[in-house]
Amino acid sequence: MAQTQTFSKNQQIVLDIIEKAKGPLKAYSILFNVQKKGINAPQQIYRALDKLIEAGKIHKIESKNAFVACKNSNCEVSKATAFSICESCEIVDEISDEKLSKYLSKFNEKKGMKFKRFNLEFFGLCKKCK
Amino acid sequence: MAQTQTFSKNQQIVLDIIEKAKGPLKAYSILFNVQKKGINAPQQIYRALDKLIEAGKIHKIESKNAFVACKNSNCEVSKATAFSICESCEIVDEISDEKLSKYLSKFNEKKGMKFKRFNLEFFGLCKKCK
DNA sequence: TAACAAACGTTATATTATAACACTATGATA
DNA sequence: TATCATAGTGTTATAATATAACGTTTGTTA
Ligand SMILES: [Zn+2]
Ligand SMILES: [Zn+2]
Ligand SMILES: [Zn+2]
Ligand SMILES: [Zn+2]
């Protein structure tokens, strides 16, 4: 329900950088980019990243240890994420497909496990790299 | 098509350990477990892991940086993987659901990207932890 | 204002993964 | 058989990613 949320100074700095970026950013690359703003240590980045993920403003691309801004104004606090990743140019795009999202959210295993969250990563070649 | 493949000494050692394990194993935990067998360096582990993944015998759980044996005798060389992960006890199970697999393999984005591979990770609480 | 929670800054360290180089075994091929 | 390519090995070093722990500061709320 995309509620407006206010972030702290460091959180906002990190969010701004990720939102401006064209692609996924790695934690240490964010760090190097904000040292002029007085952020000096990985902890400060990782703490901000944690909060932003929790808030659904960014997502972690697990296969790349990198972070992207959420395209969907908050992704229900990151409970259902899907990405397409080009294996050549490494461009990442968040997939917003209502049907896919519903299908996966409803999916349940035989084993009696109730899922609260999923993350899906598709790999291939983008138009340009094909 | 699960073709029988022969592995080198180190590859076999690593595969054996992962197959015997009850849950996902981390690279360095594998390393500590095979030092008696003459494997001394991370490189040796990571090289074996790479080959085993390529062969579809094991999978990497990206959200945990850990490795599990393939349950489905080879997963078409790891092109379509899905896992359920308990957020409490961290147990991981490979999901073998023909319908899910077909659905995702057929899924294509609007953007004109053709997918070759996907990895899906579900999170929740298992029966025991519920 | 007192109390508490959240955020901050900092140093140190743990964990995960790769680079680089020299050596060995194997099998194909000319 | 010589030689060549390929895959695997062993080793040292280092890069990249992430967290622990501690004390201070700031912001909220009672
Ligand atoms: Zn999102
Ligand atoms: Zn591309
Ligand atoms: Zn498998
Ligand atoms: Zn559990």
Side-chain angles (χ1 to χ4, degrees):
Chain A
M1 185 43 51
Q3 67 205 22
T4 313
Q5 182 173 355
T6 152
F7 293 108
S8 76
K9 182 182 130 259
N10 288 1
Q11 289 159 14
Q12 193 61 57
I13 290 172
V14 170
L15 178 57
D16 286 347
I17 291 214
I18 296 177
E19 283 181 338
K20 274 182 212 133
K22 290 182 202 102
L25 291 182
K26 304 210 150 208
Y28 276 75
S29 120
I30 296 170
L31 176 55
F32 296 138
N33 275 283
V34 297
Q35 295 196 315
K36 48 201 157 202
K37 299 206 171 146
I39 298 184
N40 305 298
Q43 265 291 5
Q44 299 174 284
I45 303 297
Y46 283 104
R47 285 198 284 230
L49 291 172
D50 285 348
K51 288 294 167 180
L52 294 169
I53 288 171
E54 223 177 276
K57 300 298 288 185
I58 67 171
H59 304 301
K60 181 172 186 182
I61 308 299
E62 294 287 358
S63 63
K64 303 173 76 63
N65 300 315
F67 304 85
V68 293
C70 177
K71 261 187 17 184
N72 308 326
S73 46
N74 276 25
C75 264
E76 297 180 55
V77 207
S78 299
K79 286 196 170 18
T81 49
F83 304 94
S84 80
I85 302 168
C86 175
E87 284 175 314
S88 168
C89 68
E90 314 230 299
I91 209 173
V92 169
D93 220 21
E94 186 167 0
I95 297 174
S96 319
D97 185 296
E98 196 60 34
K99 271 177 82 178
L100 173 65
S101 178
K102 274 222 176 93
Y103 181 90
L104 292 176
S105 297
K106 275 194 251 164
F107 182 82
N108 271 302
E109 239 193 339
K110 288 96 191 169
K111 312 278 168 62
M113 187 159 165
K114 174 79 181 155
F115 300 134
K116 296 191 301 190
R117 182 166 74 79
F118 68 78
N119 179 55
L120 171 58
E121 300 183 3
F122 283 104
F123 303 86
L125 293 175
C126 74
K127 252 189 198 166
K128 283 180 196 161
C129 295
K130 208 157 21 183
Chain B
M1 184 44 51
Q3 69 206 22
T4 312
Q5 183 172 355
T6 151
F7 294 108
S8 76
K9 181 183 130 257
N10 288 0
Q11 289 160 12
Q12 194 61 57
I13 290 172
V14 170
L15 178 56
D16 286 347
I17 291 213
I18 295 177
E19 283 183 337
K20 275 182 211 133
K22 290 181 202 105
L25 291 183
K26 305 209 149 210
Y28 276 76
S29 120
I30 295 170
L31 176 57
F32 296 137
N33 275 282
V34 298
Q35 294 196 315
K36 48 200 156 201
K37 298 208 172 147
I39 298 184
N40 305 299
Q43 266 290 5
Q44 299 174 286
I45 303 298
Y46 282 104
R47 285 199 285 228
L49 290 172
D50 285 348
K51 288 295 167 178
L52 294 169
I53 288 170
E54 223 177 277
K57 300 298 288 185
I58 66 172
H59 304 301
K60 181 174 187 182
I61 308 300
E62 295 287 358
S63 63
K64 302 174 76 62
N65 300 314
F67 304 85
V68 293
C70 176
K71 262 189 12 185
N72 309 325
S73 45
N74 276 25
C75 263
E76 297 181 56
V77 207
S78 301
K79 286 194 168 25
T81 48
F83 303 93
S84 80
I85 301 168
C86 175
E87 283 174 316
S88 167
C89 69
E90 313 230 299
I91 208 172
V92 169
D93 220 20
E94 186 166 0
I95 296 173
S96 318
D97 185 298
E98 197 59 36
K99 271 177 81 178
L100 173 65
S101 178
K102 274 223 176 96
Y103 181 90
L104 292 175
S105 297
K106 275 194 253 166
F107 182 82
N108 270 302
E109 241 193 337
K110 288 98 189 167
K111 312 279 170 62
M113 188 157 165
K114 173 79 182 157
F115 300 134
K116 294 190 301 186
R117 182 166 74 80
F118 68 80
N119 180 55
L120 171 57
E121 300 182 4
F122 283 105
F123 303 86
L125 292 176
C126 74
K127 254 190 197 166
K128 283 180 196 160
C129 296
K130 208 154 23 182

